[in-house]
Amino acid sequence: MIESWRWFGPLDAITLPEIAQTGATGIVTALHEISYGEVWPREAIAARRAMIEAAGFTWEVVESLPIHERIKRGEGDLAPLFANYRDSLRNLAAEGVKVICYNFMPLLDWTRTDLKAPVAGGGACLRFEAYKMAAFEINMLGRAEAEADYPAAVRARGAAWFQSADEATREGLLHAIMSGLPGAYDRYDIAGLRAALKLYEGIGRDELRANYKRFLQEVVPCAAELGMRLCVHPDDPPRDILGLPRIVSTAEDIAWVLAAVDDPANGLTLCSGSLGANPANDVPAIARRFADRIWFAHLRNVRKEPDGSFEEAAHLDGDTDMVALIAALLAAEAGRDTPLPMRPDHGHDLLADIGRATHPGYPLIGRMRGLAELRGVARALRK
């Protein structure tokens, strides 16, 4: 596997020379400064590629080429947005970048309630606390339907938290939930989030699937013609959030996506942390089932709790058997013309990273530790 590293470009506090010291050889990045729906100019792609190559890396994967919210909602004349997406694919292919990670999560990307949850031995991790999410949806956002989404005990604990929390603490929760949005995009305040959610009224699972299938039908043939691989990222967490349906959360969801346009260009980003947060998912089994359509891998681990909470564990700890998963990915890679790019996904804030202004979940030392552990497993399995 190609050991890769997510880098947020000029927005990233971690520099390419620092990444070189981790042993990673590939970079995973995007043009985060370009607004959703606009064409990525070839000149901008070439400049970013030159910056990466000058530092001694290859640009292995785009993460992400975002999908405009109007496409997810199926709203209005979408032909220009589909055309722009295809043009961006053509410009990326012309610069030799042919693996594209994206997601079809409505409105938000990954969602957490705590960005600095303490871990044993020191350091901090990302955490999803069910009662805090309940408090946010019910008590802060005022979404009436959220009452039915949480057990009574979780709702009660969330209400107690809300009553005891001061305004700064509540704002901290909003900030954490908004932090999954990449790059420099504006975050929502409560009023803005309510307005954005209103645009999704009437869009359930079936409607979102129909809109997703249309997107695939519009762009996968272009990707196939260019020799590219589109790799959907699973929902994070793999459950409905804010009343919005999530449709890439289980093995059966993935099977539907890959069958919607049955072409190798329509593939999967195997994210062990996202999938691993659903108790019904056997992540190594999912990797074995879809081995011929996995074109990119995010490797991290989570530790789940009965009420739906989870936290990000060290890469070899947690609930997913990482050794079995890496064995499945190595088997999937065998016989291919090109190796499988993977990256250590997320990491604990450790040592000198504590207090450093890195993107949440993306510290230097915690991910370097994870990469070293994953590298050791892969080399042992190859022996």
Side-chain angles (χ1 to χ4, degrees):
M1 291 187 285
I2 301 173
E3 296 178 3
S4 301
W5 190 274
R6 190 173 190 185
W7 178 59
F8 291 92
L11 301 169
D12 205 324
I14 297 171
T15 66
L16 290 172
E18 286 178 304
I19 297 169
Q21 296 180 53
T22 71
T25 59
I27 291 294
V28 175
T29 194
L31 303 185
H32 293 294
E33 64 275 16
I34 297 179
S35 298
Y36 289 17
E38 293 185 6
V39 176
W40 286 17
R42 182 172 178 181
E43 296 76 14
I45 296 166
R48 185 62 52 85
R49 180 175 62 80
M51 185 185 303
I52 290 166
E53 292 179 352
F57 297 97
T58 53
W59 187 355
E60 292 294 335
V61 181
V62 166
E63 185 178 349
S64 296
L65 182 57
I67 298 170
H68 198 281
E69 293 296 313
R70 282 180 48 219
I71 292 176
K72 297 176 188 178
R73 296 193 299 264
E75 176 188 294
D77 178 11
L78 298 178
L81 289 174
F82 289 132
N84 286 356
Y85 205 95
R86 290 190 294 265
D87 284 346
S88 293
L89 291 179
R90 294 185 185 101
N91 290 340
L92 285 161
E95 292 298 322
V97 187
K98 295 194 173 185
V99 180
I100 312 296
C101 175
Y102 71 97
N103 74 71
F104 212 80
M105 289 181 265
L107 210 57
L108 299 179
D109 284 4
W110 58 263
T111 303
R112 301 291 186 271
T113 60
D114 297 86
L115 304 181
K116 302 289 183 183
V119 297
C125 70
L126 300 181
R127 181 172 173 83
F128 181 90
E129 194 74 76
Y131 76 86
K132 288 185 180 179
M133 196 68 203
F136 180 77
E137 293 206 54
I138 298 168
N139 304 103
M140 293 175 61
L141 195 60
R143 191 174 72 82
E145 299 85 354
E147 293 275 353
D149 292 345
Y150 295 92
V154 173
R155 295 198 307 269
R157 190 178 178 191
W161 176 89
F162 177 77
Q163 290 299 325
S164 65
D166 59 20
E167 191 61 31
T169 301
R170 295 173 187 176
E171 284 295 317
L173 177 58
L174 174 63
H175 170 73
I177 290 170
M178 291 298 107
S179 291
L181 293 169
Y185 296 113
D186 292 336
R187 274 58 172 159
Y188 298 106
D189 58 14
I190 292 293
L193 185 56
R194 286 186 185 129
L197 287 171
K198 193 171 181 62
L199 297 174
Y200 273 91
E201 286 183 356
I203 299 176
R205 181 177 178 84
D206 291 342
E207 291 79 11
L208 192 62
R209 270 190 166 187
N211 297 340
Y212 187 15
K213 185 171 183 177
R214 182 182 175 189
F215 166 78
L216 292 172
Q217 291 170 334
E218 289 279 354
V219 303
V220 170
C222 177
E225 181 181 331
L226 295 166
M228 303 184 83
R229 297 290 186 257
L230 297 175
C231 314
V232 64
H233 187 288
D235 303 324
D236 188 9
R239 49 161 290 178
D240 291 357
I241 291 286
L242 303 174
L244 300 172
R246 295 291 182 94
I247 58 172
V248 193
S249 292
T250 66
E252 296 315 308
D253 289 340
I254 294 167
W256 179 88
V257 171
L258 301 184
V261 176
D262 192 5
D263 188 287
N266 178 26
L268 172 66
T269 295
L270 193 288
C271 179
S272 58
S274 299
L275 292 168
N278 186 331
N281 287 336
D282 180 335
V283 183
I286 289 173
R288 290 189 292 269
R289 178 175 174 180
F290 302 109
D292 63 339
R293 300 285 278 276
I294 296 170
W295 305 118
F296 182 35
H298 291 178
L299 298 182
R300 62 181 172 85
N301 223 322
V302 295
R303 186 176 293 107
K304 299 182 289 294
E305 297 172 17
D307 68 352
S309 301
F310 62 88
E311 71 178 25
E312 300 195 354
H315 287 75
L316 300 188
D317 295 332
D319 299 334
T320 295
D321 184 342
M322 194 61 68
V323 176
L325 176 58
I326 293 174
L329 293 174
L330 290 173
E333 182 185 53
R336 293 185 179 182
D337 294 335
T338 56
L340 176 71
M342 73 85 167
R343 66 173 178 84
D345 193 18
H346 296 184
H348 291 172
D349 285 349
L350 303 171
L351 303 171
D353 278 332
I354 297 173
R356 187 176 181 185
T358 56
H359 284 68
Y362 290 93
L364 176 62
I365 296 169
R367 282 189 290 164
M368 184 171 67
R369 172 187 168 179
L371 179 58
E373 292 174 343
L374 299 169
R375 177 187 297 137
V377 171
R379 290 197 181 182
L381 288 170
R382 288 193 189 98
K383 292 289 186 180

